Amino acid sequence: MAGNTDSERRAVLDAETIAVVGCSATPGKPAHEVPAYLDAHGYTVVPVNPYAERVLGHAAADSLAEIDQRVDVVDVFRPREEVPGIVDAAIARDDVGAVWLQVGIQHADAEERAAAAGLRVVSNSCIKVDHQRLVAP
């Protein structure tokens, strides 16, 4: 599957804006700590959480379709069964260049559909860990 080489992951990490689907308002959860790390390292983080108004000091969107700014990467912290719908929403936007599925999240059909639509795909991997390994000084 695409996105498995370090050079492909570096290309994804060259993004500016990351929409975090499933971003949590609860400190201590990976879905909160990872976006906090990304925010602290200069990325514009757009939380997608229909149950929160703000996360990490940023206005939370209810869905990818509601985001009114450019999105380079969609980082997913949602269960596997939700991935196809999230990928469809990412494909429907004309600005998303990559979909990143966090550790433990894979969906071969959705990943193939995203890749066929021209999106880079990384699955079953932590964007924070890869940033620390490949980008951070």
Side-chain angles (χ1 to χ4, degrees):
M1 181 57 60
N4 288 324
T5 70
D6 285 351
S7 64
E8 290 170 320
R9 290 171 190 231
R10 274 191 200 92
V12 173
L13 292 166
D14 194 30
E16 293 179 14
T17 302
I18 301 175
V20 182
V21 179
C23 190
S24 176
T26 306
K29 288 188 170 186
H32 181 87
E33 299 305 321
V34 170
Y37 170 89
L38 295 171
D39 192 51
H41 283 83
Y43 292 98
T44 299
V45 173
V46 182
V48 179
N49 180 333
Y51 304 106
E53 288 191 32
R54 300 188 73 75
V55 180
L56 301 169
H58 304 292
D62 286 345
S63 67
L64 285 175
E66 280 194 8
I67 299 172
D68 61 0
Q69 67 189 80
R70 177 178 176 78
V71 172
D72 301 311
V73 177
V74 174
D75 184 25
V76 180
F77 278 95
R78 297 299 302 151
R80 178 187 187 282
E81 58 270 13
E82 293 182 29
V83 171
I86 295 166
V87 164
D88 290 343
I91 292 170
R93 296 183 61 98
D94 63 2
D95 53 356
V96 175
V99 173
W100 193 297
L101 305 177
Q102 286 294 135
V103 173
I105 307 171
Q106 294 177 287
H107 195 292
D109 291 341
E111 292 173 47
E112 289 171 15
R113 218 171 46 253
L119 279 63
R120 294 180 185 269
V121 178
V122 178
S123 65
N124 192 28
S125 184
C126 181
I127 195 169
K128 174 185 173 183
V129 171
D130 277 353
H131 182 273
Q132 290 171 328
R133 185 173 64 85
L134 298 169
V135 179

